[in-house]
PDB file of all heavy atoms in Angstrom:
ATOM      1  N   GLY A   1       8.581  57.926 -29.291  1.00  0.00           N
ATOM      2  CA  GLY A   1       8.205  58.876 -28.265  1.00  0.00           C
ATOM      3  C   GLY A   1       9.404  59.459 -27.567  1.00  0.00           C
ATOM      4  O   GLY A   1      10.534  59.003 -27.696  1.00  0.00           O
ATOM      5  N   SER A   2       9.166  60.491 -26.796  1.00  0.00           N
ATOM      6  CA  SER A   2      10.233  61.173 -26.071  1.00  0.00           C
ATOM      7  C   SER A   2      10.140  60.848 -24.596  1.00  0.00           C
ATOM      8  O   SER A   2       9.060  60.860 -24.017  1.00  0.00           O
ATOM      9  CB  SER A   2      10.125  62.688 -26.291  1.00  0.00           C
ATOM     10  OG  SER A   2      11.105  63.374 -25.560  1.00  0.00           O
ATOM     11  N   VAL A   3      11.288  60.525 -24.007  1.00  0.00           N
ATOM     12  CA  VAL A   3      11.333  60.163 -22.596  1.00  0.00           C
ATOM     13  C   VAL A   3      12.383  61.010 -21.915  1.00  0.00           C
ATOM     14  O   VAL A   3      13.512  61.125 -22.379  1.00  0.00           O
ATOM     15  CB  VAL A   3      11.673  58.661 -22.412  1.00  0.00           C
ATOM     16  CG1 VAL A   3      11.680  58.303 -20.941  1.00  0.00           C
ATOM     17  CG2 VAL A   3      10.679  57.805 -23.163  1.00  0.00           C
ATOM     18  N   SER A   4      12.036  61.598 -20.803  1.00  0.00           N
ATOM     19  CA  SER A   4      13.005  62.379 -20.044  1.00  0.00           C
ATOM     20  C   SER A   4      14.043  61.472 -19.414  1.00  0.00           C
ATOM     21  O   SER A   4      13.733  60.372 -18.959  1.00  0.00           O
ATOM     22  CB  SER A   4      12.290  63.166 -18.936  1.00  0.00           C
ATOM     23  OG  SER A   4      13.211  63.684 -18.008  1.00  0.00           O
ATOM     24  N   GLY A   5      15.288  61.927 -19.376  1.00  0.00           N
ATOM     25  CA  GLY A   5      16.357  61.138 -18.786  1.00  0.00           C
ATOM     26  C   GLY A   5      16.145  60.879 -17.308  1.00  0.00           C
ATOM     27  O   GLY A   5      16.757  59.992 -16.731  1.00  0.00           O
ATOM     28  N   LEU A   6      15.271  61.658 -16.650  1.00  0.00           N
ATOM     29  CA  LEU A   6      15.029  61.461 -15.228  1.00  0.00           C
ATOM     30  C   LEU A   6      13.985  60.387 -14.962  1.00  0.00           C
ATOM     31  O   LEU A   6      13.768  59.996 -13.825  1.00  0.00           O
ATOM     32  CB  LEU A   6      14.576  62.786 -14.583  1.00  0.00           C
ATOM     33  CG  LEU A   6      15.592  63.922 -14.598  1.00  0.00           C
ATOM     34  CD1 LEU A   6      14.972  65.173 -13.975  1.00  0.00           C
ATOM     35  CD2 LEU A   6      16.863  63.550 -13.845  1.00  0.00           C
ATOM     36  N   ASP A   7      13.328  59.901 -16.017  1.00  0.00           N
ATOM     37  CA  ASP A   7      12.231  58.948 -15.848  1.00  0.00           C
ATOM     38  C   ASP A   7      12.677  57.509 -15.993  1.00  0.00           C
ATOM     39  O   ASP A   7      11.853  56.605 -15.889  1.00  0.00           O
ATOM     40  CB  ASP A   7      11.117  59.235 -16.872  1.00  0.00           C
ATOM     41  CG  ASP A   7      10.498  60.604 -16.668  1.00  0.00           C
ATOM     42  OD1 ASP A   7      10.464  61.072 -15.519  1.00  0.00           O
ATOM     43  OD2 ASP A   7      10.076  61.193 -17.673  1.00  0.00           O
ATOM     44  N   VAL A   8      13.933  57.264 -16.285  1.00  0.00           N
ATOM     45  CA  VAL A   8      14.396  55.910 -16.557  1.00  0.00           C
ATOM     46  C   VAL A   8      15.575  55.567 -15.656  1.00  0.00           C
ATOM     47  O   VAL A   8      16.241  56.427 -15.095  1.00  0.00           O
ATOM     48  CB  VAL A   8      14.809  55.754 -18.036  1.00  0.00           C
ATOM     49  CG1 VAL A   8      13.610  55.936 -18.950  1.00  0.00           C
ATOM     50  CG2 VAL A   8      15.903  56.755 -18.401  1.00  0.00           C
ATOM     51  N   THR A   9      15.821  54.266 -15.543  1.00  0.00           N
ATOM     52  CA  THR A   9      16.903  53.772 -14.713  1.00  0.00           C
ATOM     53  C   THR A   9      18.213  53.772 -15.495  1.00  0.00           C
ATOM     54  O   THR A   9      18.253  53.351 -16.651  1.00  0.00           O
ATOM     55  CB  THR A   9      16.592  52.346 -14.232  1.00  0.00           C
ATOM     56  OG1 THR A   9      15.367  52.364 -13.500  1.00  0.00           O
ATOM     57  CG2 THR A   9      17.700  51.807 -13.345  1.00  0.00           C
ATOM     58  N   HIS A  10      19.273  54.240 -14.841  1.00  0.00           N
ATOM     59  CA  HIS A  10      20.585  54.289 -15.473  1.00  0.00           C
ATOM     60  C   HIS A  10      21.583  53.428 -14.706  1.00  0.00           C
ATOM     61  O   HIS A  10      21.602  53.422 -13.472  1.00  0.00           O
ATOM     62  CB  HIS A  10      21.121  55.727 -15.530  1.00  0.00           C
ATOM     63  CG  HIS A  10      20.428  56.579 -16.544  1.00  0.00           C
ATOM     64  ND1 HIS A  10      19.235  57.208 -16.292  1.00  0.00           N
ATOM     65  CD2 HIS A  10      20.757  56.885 -17.825  1.00  0.00           C
ATOM     66  CE1 HIS A  10      18.855  57.882 -17.380  1.00  0.00           C
ATOM     67  NE2 HIS A  10      19.761  57.704 -18.320  1.00  0.00           N
ATOM     68  N   GLY A  11      22.398  52.691 -15.467  1.00  0.00           N
ATOM     69  CA  GLY A  11      23.521  51.973 -14.901  1.00  0.00           C
ATOM     70  C   GLY A  11      24.758  52.846 -14.992  1.00  0.00           C
ATOM     71  O   GLY A  11      24.844  53.716 -15.862  1.00  0.00           O
ATOM     72  N   THR A  12      25.710  52.604 -14.103  1.00  0.00           N
ATOM     73  CA  THR A  12      26.850  53.521 -14.061  1.00  0.00           C
ATOM     74  C   THR A  12      28.182  52.819 -14.340  1.00  0.00           C
ATOM     75  O   THR A  12      28.381  52.323 -15.431  1.00  0.00           O
ATOM     76  CB  THR A  12      26.882  54.291 -12.733  1.00  0.00           C
ATOM     77  OG1 THR A  12      26.711  53.368 -11.648  1.00  0.00           O
ATOM     78  CG2 THR A  12      25.752  55.284 -12.675  1.00  0.00           C
ATOM     79  N   THR A  13      29.072  52.734 -13.374  1.00  0.00           N
ATOM     80  CA  THR A  13      30.481  52.529 -13.673  1.00  0.00           C
ATOM     81  C   THR A  13      30.878  51.079 -13.964  1.00  0.00           C
ATOM     82  O   THR A  13      30.571  50.165 -13.184  1.00  0.00           O
ATOM     83  CB  THR A  13      31.330  53.053 -12.495  1.00  0.00           C
ATOM     84  OG1 THR A  13      30.890  54.373 -12.177  1.00  0.00           O
ATOM     85  CG2 THR A  13      32.793  53.080 -12.855  1.00  0.00           C
ATOM     86  N   ILE A  14      31.598  50.903 -15.086  1.00  0.00           N
ATOM     87  CA  ILE A  14      32.170  49.620 -15.494  1.00  0.00           C
ATOM     88  C   ILE A  14      33.667  49.817 -15.685  1.00  0.00           C
ATOM     89  O   ILE A  14      34.104  50.811 -16.259  1.00  0.00           O
ATOM     90  CB  ILE A  14      31.553  49.119 -16.816  1.00  0.00           C
ATOM     91  CG1 ILE A  14      30.024  49.015 -16.700  1.00  0.00           C
ATOM     92  CG2 ILE A  14      32.157  47.777 -17.217  1.00  0.00           C
ATOM     93  CD1 ILE A  14      29.535  47.993 -15.718  1.00  0.00           C
ATOM     94  N   VAL A  15      34.464  48.861 -15.215  1.00  0.00           N
ATOM     95  CA  VAL A  15      35.921  48.942 -15.317  1.00  0.00           C
ATOM     96  C   VAL A  15      36.443  47.631 -15.895  1.00  0.00           C
ATOM     97  O   VAL A  15      35.955  46.546 -15.550  1.00  0.00           O
ATOM     98  CB  VAL A  15      36.560  49.184 -13.931  1.00  0.00           C
ATOM     99  CG1 VAL A  15      38.076  49.250 -14.042  1.00  0.00           C
ATOM    100  CG2 VAL A  15      36.031  50.465 -13.302  1.00  0.00           C
ATOM    101  N   ALA A  16      37.436  47.715 -16.775  1.00  0.00           N
ATOM    102  CA  ALA A  16      38.087  46.527 -17.312  1.00  0.00           C
ATOM    103  C   ALA A  16      39.589  46.756 -17.362  1.00  0.00           C
ATOM    104  O   ALA A  16      40.051  47.879 -17.571  1.00  0.00           O
ATOM    105  CB  ALA A  16      37.564  46.196 -18.709  1.00  0.00           C
ATOM    106  N   ALA A  17      40.360  45.680 -17.165  1.00  0.00           N
ATOM    107  CA  ALA A  17      41.818  45.761 -17.208  1.00  0.00           C
ATOM    108  C   ALA A  17      42.374  44.435 -17.706  1.00  0.00           C
ATOM    109  O   ALA A  17      41.878  43.362 -17.343  1.00  0.00           O
ATOM    110  CB  ALA A  17      42.388  46.093 -15.829  1.00  0.00           C
ATOM    111  N   THR A  18      43.392  44.518 -18.548  1.00  0.00           N
ATOM    112  CA  THR A  18      44.051  43.303 -19.011  1.00  0.00           C
ATOM    113  C   THR A  18      45.090  42.857 -17.987  1.00  0.00           C
ATOM    114  O   THR A  18      45.593  43.658 -17.197  1.00  0.00           O
ATOM    115  CB  THR A  18      44.745  43.534 -20.366  1.00  0.00           C
ATOM    116  OG1 THR A  18      45.702  44.591 -20.235  1.00  0.00           O
ATOM    117  CG2 THR A  18      43.728  43.909 -21.442  1.00  0.00           C
ATOM    118  N   PHE A  19      45.400  41.568 -18.007  1.00  0.00           N
ATOM    119  CA  PHE A  19      46.465  41.039 -17.164  1.00  0.00           C
ATOM    120  C   PHE A  19      47.193  39.956 -17.945  1.00  0.00           C
ATOM    121  O   PHE A  19      46.823  39.648 -19.087  1.00  0.00           O
ATOM    122  CB  PHE A  19      45.907  40.512 -15.835  1.00  0.00           C
ATOM    123  CG  PHE A  19      44.968  39.337 -15.967  1.00  0.00           C
ATOM    124  CD1 PHE A  19      45.441  38.036 -15.932  1.00  0.00           C
ATOM    125  CD2 PHE A  19      43.599  39.550 -16.112  1.00  0.00           C
ATOM    126  CE1 PHE A  19      44.573  36.958 -16.060  1.00  0.00           C
ATOM    127  CE2 PHE A  19      42.724  38.476 -16.231  1.00  0.00           C
ATOM    128  CZ  PHE A  19      43.220  37.177 -16.206  1.00  0.00           C
ATOM    129  N   ASP A  20      48.234  39.417 -17.362  1.00  0.00           N
ATOM    130  CA  ASP A  20      49.036  38.418 -18.048  1.00  0.00           C
ATOM    131  C   ASP A  20      48.258  37.115 -18.163  1.00  0.00           C
ATOM    132  O   ASP A  20      48.268  36.293 -17.253  1.00  0.00           O
ATOM    133  CB  ASP A  20      50.343  38.189 -17.279  1.00  0.00           C
ATOM    134  CG  ASP A  20      51.310  37.280 -18.041  1.00  0.00           C
ATOM    135  OD1 ASP A  20      51.137  37.128 -19.258  1.00  0.00           O
ATOM    136  OD2 ASP A  20      52.230  36.731 -17.397  1.00  0.00           O
ATOM    137  N   GLY A  21      47.547  36.968 -19.268  1.00  0.00           N
ATOM    138  CA  GLY A  21      46.766  35.758 -19.487  1.00  0.00           C
ATOM    139  C   GLY A  21      45.295  35.997 -19.725  1.00  0.00           C
ATOM    140  O   GLY A  21      44.543  35.045 -19.949  1.00  0.00           O
ATOM    141  N   GLY A  22      44.842  37.262 -19.706  1.00  0.00           N
ATOM    142  CA  GLY A  22      43.429  37.500 -19.950  1.00  0.00           C
ATOM    143  C   GLY A  22      43.005  38.914 -19.656  1.00  0.00           C
ATOM    144  O   GLY A  22      43.797  39.856 -19.704  1.00  0.00           O
ATOM    145  N   VAL A  23      41.743  39.048 -19.319  1.00  0.00           N
ATOM    146  CA  VAL A  23      41.159  40.361 -19.043  1.00  0.00           C
ATOM    147  C   VAL A  23      40.109  40.205 -17.949  1.00  0.00           C
ATOM    148  O   VAL A  23      39.432  39.169 -17.864  1.00  0.00           O
ATOM    149  CB  VAL A  23      40.537  40.963 -20.328  1.00  0.00           C
ATOM    150  CG1 VAL A  23      39.448  40.060 -20.892  1.00  0.00           C
ATOM    151  CG2 VAL A  23      40.004  42.368 -20.089  1.00  0.00           C
ATOM    152  N   VAL A  24      40.005  41.205 -17.093  1.00  0.00           N
ATOM    153  CA  VAL A  24      39.011  41.203 -16.028  1.00  0.00           C
ATOM    154  C   VAL A  24      38.087  42.401 -16.206  1.00  0.00           C
ATOM    155  O   VAL A  24      38.530  43.475 -16.631  1.00  0.00           O
ATOM    156  CB  VAL A  24      39.679  41.242 -14.631  1.00  0.00           C
ATOM    157  CG1 VAL A  24      40.591  42.431 -14.488  1.00  0.00           C
ATOM    158  CG2 VAL A  24      38.655  41.245 -13.514  1.00  0.00           C
ATOM    159  N   MET A  25      36.807  42.209 -15.937  1.00  0.00           N
ATOM    160  CA  MET A  25      35.830  43.298 -15.991  1.00  0.00           C
ATOM    161  C   MET A  25      35.021  43.300 -14.706  1.00  0.00           C
ATOM    162  O   MET A  25      34.637  42.242 -14.199  1.00  0.00           O
ATOM    163  CB  MET A  25      34.895  43.158 -17.196  1.00  0.00           C
ATOM    164  CG  MET A  25      33.840  44.261 -17.287  1.00  0.00           C
ATOM    165  SD  MET A  25      32.758  44.128 -18.743  1.00  0.00           S
ATOM    166  CE  MET A  25      33.871  44.644 -20.037  1.00  0.00           C
ATOM    167  N   GLY A  26      34.776  44.491 -14.176  1.00  0.00           N
ATOM    168  CA  GLY A  26      33.977  44.623 -12.968  1.00  0.00           C
ATOM    169  C   GLY A  26      32.986  45.750 -13.094  1.00  0.00           C
ATOM    170  O   GLY A  26      33.226  46.733 -13.803  1.00  0.00           O
ATOM    171  N   GLY A  27      31.872  45.616 -12.421  1.00  0.00           N
ATOM    172  CA  GLY A  27      30.854  46.663 -12.436  1.00  0.00           C
ATOM    173  C   GLY A  27      30.273  46.861 -11.052  1.00  0.00           C
ATOM    174  O   GLY A  27      30.117  45.889 -10.286  1.00  0.00           O
ATOM    175  N   ASP A  28      29.986  48.108 -10.714  1.00  0.00           N
ATOM    176  CA  ASP A  28      29.309  48.355  -9.443  1.00  0.00           C
ATOM    177  C   ASP A  28      27.864  47.877  -9.558  1.00  0.00           C
ATOM    178  O   ASP A  28      27.409  47.479 -10.633  1.00  0.00           O
ATOM    179  CB  ASP A  28      29.384  49.841  -9.069  1.00  0.00           C
ATOM    180  CG  ASP A  28      28.360  50.679  -9.796  1.00  0.00           C
ATOM    181  OD1 ASP A  28      28.389  50.695 -11.041  1.00  0.00           O
ATOM    182  OD2 ASP A  28      27.519  51.321  -9.136  1.00  0.00           O
ATOM    183  N   ARG A  29      27.094  47.942  -8.476  1.00  0.00           N
ATOM    184  CA  ARG A  29      25.759  47.335  -8.464  1.00  0.00           C
ATOM    185  C   ARG A  29      24.636  48.356  -8.389  1.00  0.00           C
ATOM    186  O   ARG A  29      23.468  47.968  -8.337  1.00  0.00           O
ATOM    187  CB  ARG A  29      25.638  46.378  -7.262  1.00  0.00           C
ATOM    188  CG  ARG A  29      26.734  45.339  -7.144  1.00  0.00           C
ATOM    189  CD  ARG A  29      26.719  44.366  -8.308  1.00  0.00           C
ATOM    190  NE  ARG A  29      25.482  43.627  -8.340  1.00  0.00           N
ATOM    191  CZ  ARG A  29      25.251  42.523  -7.607  1.00  0.00           C
ATOM    192  NH1 ARG A  29      26.174  42.062  -6.780  1.00  0.00           N
ATOM    193  NH2 ARG A  29      24.105  41.883  -7.698  1.00  0.00           N
ATOM    194  N   ARG A  30      24.946  49.645  -8.385  1.00  0.00           N
ATOM    195  CA  ARG A  30      23.925  50.659  -8.187  1.00  0.00           C
ATOM    196  C   ARG A  30      23.315  51.114  -9.508  1.00  0.00           C
ATOM    197  O   ARG A  30      24.019  51.338 -10.495  1.00  0.00           O
ATOM    198  CB  ARG A  30      24.494  51.868  -7.458  1.00  0.00           C
ATOM    199  CG  ARG A  30      23.496  53.020  -7.250  1.00  0.00           C
ATOM    200  CD  ARG A  30      24.092  54.128  -6.408  1.00  0.00           C
ATOM    201  NE  ARG A  30      24.318  53.671  -5.025  1.00  0.00           N
ATOM    202  CZ  ARG A  30      24.897  54.405  -4.090  1.00  0.00           C
ATOM    203  NH1 ARG A  30      25.332  55.620  -4.367  1.00  0.00           N
ATOM    204  NH2 ARG A  30      25.044  53.928  -2.868  1.00  0.00           N
ATOM    205  N   ALA A  31      21.994  51.261  -9.526  1.00  0.00           N
ATOM    206  CA  ALA A  31      21.278  51.890 -10.640  1.00  0.00           C
ATOM    207  C   ALA A  31      20.506  53.077 -10.086  1.00  0.00           C
ATOM    208  O   ALA A  31      19.930  52.999  -8.998  1.00  0.00           O
ATOM    209  CB  ALA A  31      20.317  50.898 -11.300  1.00  0.00           C
ATOM    210  N   THR A  32      20.513  54.176 -10.824  1.00  0.00           N
ATOM    211  CA  THR A  32      19.881  55.398 -10.343  1.00  0.00           C
ATOM    212  C   THR A  32      18.759  55.849 -11.272  1.00  0.00           C
ATOM    213  O   THR A  32      18.736  55.518 -12.454  1.00  0.00           O
ATOM    214  CB  THR A  32      20.913  56.531 -10.217  1.00  0.00           C
ATOM    215  OG1 THR A  32      21.519  56.766 -11.501  1.00  0.00           O
ATOM    216  CG2 THR A  32      21.981  56.180  -9.212  1.00  0.00           C
ATOM    217  N   MET A  33      17.847  56.616 -10.706  1.00  0.00           N
ATOM    218  CA  MET A  33      16.777  57.256 -11.458  1.00  0.00           C
ATOM    219  C   MET A  33      16.742  58.709 -10.986  1.00  0.00           C
ATOM    220  O   MET A  33      16.134  59.033  -9.974  1.00  0.00           O
ATOM    221  CB  MET A  33      15.436  56.564 -11.219  1.00  0.00           C
ATOM    222  CG  MET A  33      14.294  57.086 -12.086  1.00  0.00           C
ATOM    223  SD  MET A  33      12.730  56.216 -11.748  1.00  0.00           S
ATOM    224  CE  MET A  33      13.139  54.543 -12.246  1.00  0.00           C
ATOM    225  N   GLY A  34      17.463  59.562 -11.713  1.00  0.00           N
ATOM    226  CA  GLY A  34      17.644  60.920 -11.240  1.00  0.00           C
ATOM    227  C   GLY A  34      18.527  60.892 -10.008  1.00  0.00           C
ATOM    228  O   GLY A  34      19.624  60.338 -10.018  1.00  0.00           O
ATOM    229  N   ASN A  35      18.043  61.477  -8.913  1.00  0.00           N
ATOM    230  CA  ASN A  35      18.816  61.470  -7.666  1.00  0.00           C
ATOM    231  C   ASN A  35      18.394  60.354  -6.720  1.00  0.00           C
ATOM    232  O   ASN A  35      18.783  60.344  -5.552  1.00  0.00           O
ATOM    233  CB  ASN A  35      18.676  62.828  -6.959  1.00  0.00           C
ATOM    234  CG  ASN A  35      17.247  63.073  -6.475  1.00  0.00           C
ATOM    235  OD1 ASN A  35      16.304  62.598  -7.095  1.00  0.00           O
ATOM    236  ND2 ASN A  35      17.102  63.807  -5.388  1.00  0.00           N
ATOM    237  N   VAL A  36      17.622  59.397  -7.236  1.00  0.00           N
ATOM    238  CA  VAL A  36      17.110  58.297  -6.414  1.00  0.00           C
ATOM    239  C   VAL A  36      17.847  57.008  -6.770  1.00  0.00           C
ATOM    240  O   VAL A  36      18.128  56.745  -7.945  1.00  0.00           O
ATOM    241  CB  VAL A  36      15.596  58.102  -6.641  1.00  0.00           C
ATOM    242  CG1 VAL A  36      15.071  56.894  -5.869  1.00  0.00           C
ATOM    243  CG2 VAL A  36      14.833  59.361  -6.237  1.00  0.00           C
ATOM    244  N   ILE A  37      18.176  56.201  -5.764  1.00  0.00           N
ATOM    245  CA  ILE A  37      18.744  54.878  -6.013  1.00  0.00           C
ATOM    246  C   ILE A  37      17.602  53.953  -6.420  1.00  0.00           C
ATOM    247  O   ILE A  37      16.731  53.634  -5.609  1.00  0.00           O
ATOM    248  CB  ILE A  37      19.461  54.337  -4.765  1.00  0.00           C
ATOM    249  CG1 ILE A  37      20.645  55.234  -4.402  1.00  0.00           C
ATOM    250  CG2 ILE A  37      19.947  52.909  -5.017  1.00  0.00           C
ATOM    251  CD1 ILE A  37      21.347  54.827  -3.130  1.00  0.00           C
ATOM    252  N   ALA A  38      17.596  53.539  -7.677  1.00  0.00           N
ATOM    253  CA  ALA A  38      16.521  52.697  -8.190  1.00  0.00           C
ATOM    254  C   ALA A  38      16.726  51.237  -7.831  1.00  0.00           C
ATOM    255  O   ALA A  38      15.769  50.494  -7.609  1.00  0.00           O
ATOM    256  CB  ALA A  38      16.413  52.856  -9.705  1.00  0.00           C
ATOM    257  N   GLN A  39      17.977  50.795  -7.796  1.00  0.00           N
ATOM    258  CA  GLN A  39      18.281  49.402  -7.458  1.00  0.00           C
ATOM    259  C   GLN A  39      19.689  49.339  -6.896  1.00  0.00           C
ATOM    260  O   GLN A  39      20.598  50.012  -7.388  1.00  0.00           O
ATOM    261  CB  GLN A  39      18.159  48.496  -8.695  1.00  0.00           C
ATOM    262  CG  GLN A  39      18.265  47.018  -8.386  1.00  0.00           C
ATOM    263  CD  GLN A  39      17.993  46.150  -9.603  1.00  0.00           C
ATOM    264  OE1 GLN A  39      17.480  46.628 -10.613  1.00  0.00           O
ATOM    265  NE2 GLN A  39      18.328  44.876  -9.514  1.00  0.00           N
ATOM    266  N   ARG A  40      19.885  48.504  -5.880  1.00  0.00           N
ATOM    267  CA  ARG A  40      21.192  48.421  -5.229  1.00  0.00           C
ATOM    268  C   ARG A  40      22.024  47.229  -5.694  1.00  0.00           C
ATOM    269  O   ARG A  40      23.220  47.159  -5.394  1.00  0.00           O
ATOM    270  CB  ARG A  40      21.017  48.336  -3.710  1.00  0.00           C
ATOM    271  CG  ARG A  40      20.296  49.532  -3.105  1.00  0.00           C
ATOM    272  CD  ARG A  40      20.164  49.379  -1.603  1.00  0.00           C
ATOM    273  NE  ARG A  40      19.314  50.428  -1.038  1.00  0.00           N
ATOM    274  CZ  ARG A  40      19.748  51.627  -0.694  1.00  0.00           C
ATOM    275  NH1 ARG A  40      21.017  51.931  -0.861  1.00  0.00           N
ATOM    276  NH2 ARG A  40      18.922  52.533  -0.188  1.00  0.00           N
ATOM    277  N   ASP A  41      21.404  46.279  -6.385  1.00  0.00           N
ATOM    278  CA  ASP A  41      22.138  45.068  -6.753  1.00  0.00           C
ATOM    279  C   ASP A  41      21.921  44.685  -8.209  1.00  0.00           C
ATOM    280  O   ASP A  41      21.827  43.518  -8.568  1.00  0.00           O
ATOM    281  CB  ASP A  41      21.724  43.913  -5.849  1.00  0.00           C
ATOM    282  CG  ASP A  41      20.231  43.593  -5.939  1.00  0.00           C
ATOM    283  OD1 ASP A  41      19.485  44.375  -6.572  1.00  0.00           O
ATOM    284  OD2 ASP A  41      19.814  42.562  -5.383  1.00  0.00           O
ATOM    285  N   ILE A  42      21.875  45.673  -9.100  1.00  0.00           N
ATOM    286  CA  ILE A  42      21.652  45.409 -10.503  1.00  0.00           C
ATOM    287  C   ILE A  42      22.861  44.696 -11.109  1.00  0.00           C
ATOM    288  O   ILE A  42      23.999  44.880 -10.678  1.00  0.00           O
ATOM    289  CB  ILE A  42      21.380  46.732 -11.275  1.00  0.00           C
ATOM    290  CG1 ILE A  42      20.916  46.438 -12.704  1.00  0.00           C
ATOM    291  CG2 ILE A  42      22.606  47.632 -11.259  1.00  0.00           C
ATOM    292  CD1 ILE A  42      20.473  47.680 -13.453  1.00  0.00           C
ATOM    293  N   GLN A  43      22.617  43.857 -12.084  1.00  0.00           N
ATOM    294  CA  GLN A  43      23.700  43.193 -12.814  1.00  0.00           C
ATOM    295  C   GLN A  43      24.079  44.049 -14.016  1.00  0.00           C
ATOM    296  O   GLN A  43      23.231  44.410 -14.828  1.00  0.00           O
ATOM    297  CB  GLN A  43      23.281  41.801 -13.290  1.00  0.00           C
ATOM    298  CG  GLN A  43      24.388  41.075 -14.056  1.00  0.00           C
ATOM    299  CD  GLN A  43      23.986  39.684 -14.500  1.00  0.00           C
ATOM    300  OE1 GLN A  43      22.907  39.189 -14.142  1.00  0.00           O
ATOM    301  NE2 GLN A  43      24.831  39.026 -15.270  1.00  0.00           N
ATOM    302  N   LYS A  44      25.355  44.382 -14.132  1.00  0.00           N
ATOM    303  CA  LYS A  44      25.823  45.233 -15.231  1.00  0.00           C
ATOM    304  C   LYS A  44      26.856  44.555 -16.119  1.00  0.00           C
ATOM    305  O   LYS A  44      27.238  45.108 -17.141  1.00  0.00           O
ATOM    306  CB  LYS A  44      26.424  46.528 -14.681  1.00  0.00           C
ATOM    307  CG  LYS A  44      25.468  47.372 -13.853  1.00  0.00           C
ATOM    308  CD  LYS A  44      26.149  48.635 -13.366  1.00  0.00           C
ATOM    309  CE  LYS A  44      25.259  49.399 -12.409  1.00  0.00           C
ATOM    310  NZ  LYS A  44      25.941  50.599 -11.872  1.00  0.00           N
TER     311      LYS A  44
END
């Protein structure tokens, strides 16, 4: 089936960086549905 991109929840920004001994990854907690905040504490 076809689903409009405005009808579903989207996760956004993920950042990763290497350091001396490993790598770190971080993600913000906001999920959006169009112009609406769908969730404020989503795990990404």
Side-chain angles (χ1 to χ4, degrees):
S2 178
V3 181
S4 167
L6 296 178
D7 297 330
V8 296
T9 301
H10 287 83
T12 48
T13 310
I14 304 295
V15 179
T18 58
F19 64 90
D20 187 19
V23 59
V24 56
M25 179 178 287
D28 80 301
R29 307 295 298 276
R30 178 175 293 176
T32 59
M33 186 180 297
N35 66 329
V36 176
I37 297 176
Q39 188 174 346
R40 300 180 188 275
D41 60 351
I42 189 173
Q43 180 179 354
K44 300 181 187 177

